[in-house]
Amino acid sequence: MAGSLKTEGIVLRSMRYGEADRILHLYTPHRGRVSAIAKGVRRAKSRFGGRLEPFFRLNLVLYEGRSDLLTVTSAETLAGHPRLREDAAALDGAARACEAVARVFDDGDPHRGVYHLLANELALLNGDVARAGRSNALAFRLKLLLAAGFAPQLAACASCGEAEHLMGFSGAAGGVVCAACEAGSFALDQEAHDFLVTALGLPLADVPDASPRALAQAERAILETLEHHGHVRLRPVGRG
Ligand SMILES: [Zn+2]
């Protein structure tokens, strides 16, 4: 299947390779995560300039030969997100968003919605670096769970379907649980429950902040869901 692949892509990781090359992990709308080599990119006169760095959203032409590793033949910048690179919290938020996408989705597992979610998150952080923080990072992860098909059940007990007396959250059960099914769960306050529902339902740009206690519970719910259903352990999103 040798040939050229034209695609948009976001650089998730960029690693030095050999004398002057870089290996890139990219997320693309139709192929999902792919790996590509960019040759000569670290030479001063490289035609790629500095655009094969994390968080760049690019129009790419990739050559696909026999190997799993594609070769970058051209790259045009669609969005370089320069402002987020100048703010420590925004940079950290962008790095964790890219890391989460890279960890949750394997090569050849395309989700068009994930591409747009990540593009949207990077554009938001670049447009307003003050947006970076725990509620934004958690809302991003929650939407990633939804795109991956592991969104937690929040409307009724994930074990028995009871709609009242929802007390806790169980990653193993896959969502909120009622008083009768609470074994193995942790307590989830109403505010944390509301945050999860709101963050799943609203656009990323509109997700409101919540108290540190509610965000800590929401984070635990997201981490446990990922561990049980995605078999992925992510770094905590940190303070913010
Ligand atoms: Zn129950």
Side-chain angles (χ1 to χ4, degrees), residues 17-39:
Y17 185 77
E19 288 280 297
D21 304 342
R22 278 189 176 279
I23 303 274
L24 308 175
H25 289 170
L26 303 161
Y27 199 84
T28 66
H30 299 290
R31 290 284 190 97
R33 199 182 75 185
V34 299
S35 300
I37 185 164
K39 292 183 176 157

Side-chain angles (χ1 to χ4, degrees), residues 157-162 166 176-182:
C157 175
S159 290
C160 74
E162 168 68 50
L166 301 171
V176 292
V177 288
C178 73
C181 301
E182 69 175 351

Side-chain angles (χ1 to χ4, degrees), residues 145-217:
L145 285 176
L146 181 66
F150 323 129
Q153 183 169 331
L154 299 171
C157 175
S159 290
C160 74
E162 168 68 50
E164 306 284 324
H165 312 295
L166 301 171
M167 319 277 293
F169 188 96
S170 161
V176 292
V177 288
C178 73
C181 301
E182 69 175 351
S185 72
F186 64 89
L188 192 77
D189 294 350
Q190 187 64 44
E191 190 195 356
H193 189 188
D194 291 346
F195 175 81
L196 292 171
V197 171
T198 308
L200 267 179
L202 286 181
L204 261 185
D206 300 335
V207 173
D209 210 350
S211 72
R213 179 182 163 88
L215 292 178
Q217 292 179 355

Side-chain angles (χ1 to χ4, degrees), residues 62-130:
L62 304 170
Y63 177 76
E64 188 166 30
R66 287 172 184 282
S67 126
D68 286 342
L69 197 61
L70 308 180
T71 303
V72 182
T73 55
S74 98
E76 282 170 29
T77 303
L78 290 170
H81 305 115
R83 283 187 297 276
L84 75 77
R85 292 165 204 283
E86 289 165 13
D87 181 88
L91 194 65
D92 188 57
R96 286 167 191 270
C98 285
E99 182 187 317
V101 169
R103 299 275 315 278
V104 173
F105 302 99
D106 290 329
D107 279 2
D109 182 18
H111 295 269
R112 215 176 144 71
V114 171
Y115 181 78
H116 293 297
L117 176 65
L118 182 60
N120 185 16
E121 170 74 342
L122 295 175
L124 278 177
L125 291 173
N126 188 63
D128 178 7
V129 295

Side-chain angles (χ1 to χ4, degrees), residues 219-238:
E219 172 154 33
R220 185 166 172 196
I222 292 167
L223 287 175
E224 288 197 5
T225 301
L226 267 171
E227 281 181 34
H228 278 280
H229 301 283
H231 308 292
V232 174
R233 185 179 288 260
L234 293 179
R235 287 190 290 155
V237 296

